[in-house]
């Protein structure tokens, strides 16, 4: 449709017709364009996106992808996606037609990412390169599945980089007890670390806890949300995975300690956060405590590893541990296999006995 000029201020606008999914015919008006060309370009882009025309630019298609993902992903995940797409993908693919991007284009982009060096001469990490490729491939997969793009050129090329697992550190019970003793000078820190070590919950899960989550008669704590700070705002969202929604049975001593700690906080409401500190605060306290206690420095998340390794040492199964910490049992088996006692000799002994029975 043609563009029109606003006689009052000289700007341009367009009126365009389109059909909703349900078959309802509608008209959209978009105003405020400086030139007629800008107005017509907006209308062209709008109609191509409405029709799912794969002749649109990659950047225009990313807008469709972004709108859909907003309804399905957490804000933190969306922010990560946006940073990767805008910073590493759109500068290369943005102006290319979606249906004209080839495996060769993806390969050239990979080579640019592999050749990148920062001001100190450092390349992207192997795991970051893998993340970049996965995001590009996810956009093409979305186009294949929902808009009938014939194939995913990123899949044809194959990934770059590999996932790097960070070294898994943990404290023994003796190391943790040394650490916790020096934490007693700050009740908020002491009780926070008690919960992290003796329940194995995640840092965000701890910081989202409210008094209503504790059932001191049953000795349990409920995990059904997580805390994070984004763009200067406190955010309480759903947990990391469905499996993360769980009830954790606390040891009796921890139940008593938490009951006392909550009573210590005057005016604390049932829906208030129990631990009103930041992740930065906990990291600082972790460093202070480790130094004063003379134990090795580990990350906050390593307290979760410490809890799991303690339960493995106590003889609990991967399934039981997974239920407690909100993991899949296969992930516990895979990530902590080196900590489980080897049953190879017992297997061999029983196989030998079985064979002898047939003699």
């Amino acid at each position: 449709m043609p563009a029109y000029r606003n006689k009052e201020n000289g700007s341009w606008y367009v009126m365009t017709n389109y059909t909703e999914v349900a078959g309802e015919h509608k008209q959209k008006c978009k105003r405020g364009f400086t030139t007629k060309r800008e107005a017509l370009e907006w209308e062209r882009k709008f109609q191509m996106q409405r029709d799912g025309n794969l002749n649109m630019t990659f950047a225009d298609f990313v807008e469709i992808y972004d709108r859909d993902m907003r309804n399905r992903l957490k804000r933190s995940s969306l922010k990560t996606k946006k940073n990767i797409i805008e910073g590493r993908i759109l500068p290369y693919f943005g102006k290319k037609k979606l249906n004209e991007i080839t495996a060769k284009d993806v390969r050239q982009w990979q080579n640019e990412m592999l050749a990148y060096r920062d001001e100190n001469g450092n390349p992207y990490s192997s795991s970051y390169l893998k993340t970049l490729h996965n995001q590009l491939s996810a956009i093409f997969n979305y186009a294949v599945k929902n808009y009938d793009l014939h194939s995913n050129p990123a899949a044809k090329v194959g990934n770059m980089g590999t996932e790097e697992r960070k070294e898994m550190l943990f404290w023994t019970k003796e190391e943790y007890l040394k650490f916790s003793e020096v934490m007693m000078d700050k009740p908020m820190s002491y009780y926070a670390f008690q919960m992290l070590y003796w329940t194995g919950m995640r840092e965000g899960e701890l910081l989202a806890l409210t008094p209503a989550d504790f059932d001191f008669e049953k000795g349990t704590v409920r995990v059904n949300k997580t805390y994070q700070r984004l763009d200067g705002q406190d955010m309480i969202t759903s947990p990391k995975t469905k499996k993360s929604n769980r009830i954790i049975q606390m040891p009796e001593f921890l139940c008593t300690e938490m009951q006392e700690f909550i009573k210590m906080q005057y005016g604390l409401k049932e829906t208030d956060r129990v631990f009103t500190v930041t992740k930065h605060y906990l990291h600082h306290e972790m460093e202070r405590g480790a130094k004063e206690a003379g134990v090795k420095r580990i990350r906050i998340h390593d307290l979760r590893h410490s809890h799991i390794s303690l339960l493995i040492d106590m003889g609990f199964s991967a399934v039981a541990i997974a239920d407690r910490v909100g993991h899949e049992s296969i992930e516990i088996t895979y990530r902590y296999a080196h900590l489980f006692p080897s049953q190879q000799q017992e297997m061999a002994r029983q196989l030998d006995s079985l064979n002898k029975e047939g003699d």
Side-chain angles (χ1 to χ4, degrees):
M1 293 183 71
Y4 306 94
R5 190 157 200 168
N6 188 319
K7 294 180 181 179
E8 294 181 3
N9 57 23
S11 66
W12 291 83
Y13 67 95
V14 289
M15 302 284 291
T16 186
N17 299 316
Y18 65 97
T19 305
E20 286 282 17
V21 176
E24 183 181 358
H25 296 288
K26 288 191 173 184
Q27 188 176 71
K28 185 176 181 66
C29 177
K30 182 70 174 177
R31 302 178 183 276
F33 297 102
T34 305
T35 65
K36 179 179 181 180
R37 182 178 179 180
E38 288 178 358
L40 292 173
E41 175 59 24
W42 179 90
E43 183 187 28
R44 182 195 67 79
K45 173 180 169 180
F46 174 80
Q47 288 294 356
M48 291 185 82
Q49 289 182 330
R50 290 292 312 179
D51 297 339
N53 188 325
L54 297 182
N55 201 41
M56 75 177 84
T57 66
F58 183 85
D60 289 345
F61 185 76
V62 164
E63 290 184 17
I64 297 175
Y65 175 78
D66 180 66
R67 283 196 296 269
D68 190 38
M69 290 300 108
R70 284 180 207 170
N71 301 318
R72 300 169 185 271
L73 298 176
K74 290 184 180 180
R75 186 173 166 183
S76 57
S77 299
L78 285 171
K79 187 175 181 180
T80 301
K81 273 183 175 288
K82 184 177 181 181
N83 290 338
I84 290 174
I85 293 170
E86 292 184 354
R88 305 291 176 259
I89 296 176
L90 283 182
Y92 190 92
F93 295 103
K95 294 180 180 179
K96 296 179 183 292
K97 298 284 184 67
L98 179 67
N99 59 1
E100 294 179 0
I101 296 174
T102 65
K104 180 182 177 182
D105 294 324
V106 175
R107 187 77 175 181
Q108 289 176 342
W109 169 77
Q110 283 187 342
N111 287 333
E112 286 196 16
M113 297 300 102
L114 288 164
Y116 170 85
R117 297 294 183 272
D118 64 16
E119 62 275 10
N120 297 318
N122 298 316
Y124 290 136
S125 70
S126 186
S127 58
Y128 185 64
L129 289 170
K130 182 178 175 68
T131 299
L132 293 180
H133 180 89
N134 286 346
Q135 179 54 72
L136 177 64
S137 188
I139 295 171
F140 284 123
N141 279 337
Y142 178 82
V144 170
K145 183 177 180 180
N146 298 287
Y147 289 86
D148 297 322
L149 181 68
H150 58 86
S151 65
N152 176 350
K156 288 182 179 180
V157 174
N159 217 322
M160 61 177 174
T162 56
E163 185 177 359
E164 298 173 341
R165 285 200 176 274
K166 294 181 179 178
E167 183 184 3
M168 188 184 299
L169 299 174
F170 57 88
W171 279 337
T172 63
K173 185 187 71 174
E174 290 70 27
E175 287 175 314
Y176 173 72
L177 291 177
K178 287 181 181 178
F179 168 83
S180 65
E181 187 174 349
V182 303
M183 285 288 102
M184 289 182 178
D185 62 337
K186 293 184 179 180
M188 182 69 74
S189 301
Y190 172 76
Y191 291 109
F193 287 117
Q194 283 287 88
M195 286 295 293
L196 288 170
Y197 182 79
W198 294 108
T199 69
M201 65 174 55
R202 299 177 178 91
E203 187 178 9
E205 295 170 347
L206 170 86
L207 296 178
L209 291 177
T210 67
D213 293 318
F214 291 87
D215 186 332
F216 293 116
E217 288 187 7
K218 294 180 179 178
T220 62
V221 59
R222 175 185 60 195
V223 175
N224 64 357
K225 53 193 174 295
T226 189
Y227 164 90
Q228 55 191 323
R229 191 165 178 81
L230 284 175
D231 301 323
Q233 293 184 329
D234 291 339
M235 303 285 294
I236 302 294
T237 62
S238 57
K240 186 176 181 180
T241 64
K242 289 182 179 180
K243 188 82 173 177
S244 298
N245 284 284
R246 62 198 189 279
I247 300 293
I248 302 174
Q249 191 76 40
M250 293 184 290
E252 189 174 338
F253 73 85
L254 183 61
C255 187
T256 301
E257 286 185 347
M258 285 308 302
Q259 198 166 12
E260 292 173 353
F261 178 59
I262 289 175
K263 287 179 180 178
M264 286 165 53
Q265 300 183 67
Y266 179 76
L268 189 67
K269 298 176 183 176
E270 283 291 287
T271 55
D272 289 342
R273 286 172 55 215
V274 174
F275 296 101
T276 52
V277 295
T278 63
K279 292 184 178 182
H280 176 75
Y281 171 87
L282 289 178
H283 287 242
H284 178 270
E285 284 294 275
M286 188 86 164
E287 192 163 340
R288 175 181 76 88
K291 186 176 181 180
E292 290 184 21
V295 296
K296 62 179 177 289
R297 174 72 168 91
I298 63 175
R299 299 165 301 167
I300 296 290
H301 193 72
D302 288 323
L303 288 174
R304 183 170 165 84
H305 298 321
S306 300
H307 183 70
I308 293 171
S309 67
L310 179 65
L311 296 179
I312 292 172
D313 190 54
M314 293 170 69
F316 292 101
S317 70
V319 173
I321 294 171
D323 286 340
R324 181 171 179 82
V325 300
H327 263 321
E328 295 294 339
S329 57
I330 188 67
E331 188 174 357
I332 293 289
T333 303
Y334 172 67
R335 294 196 65 190
Y336 300 89
H338 61 292
L339 297 179
F340 283 95
S342 174
Q343 295 184 323
Q344 288 289 333
Q345 288 185 343
E346 179 61 19
M347 288 178 185
R349 188 192 66 78
Q350 290 195 32
L351 287 170
D352 189 51
S353 297
L354 188 66
N355 180 61
K356 288 177 180 178
E357 289 175 7
D359 292 342

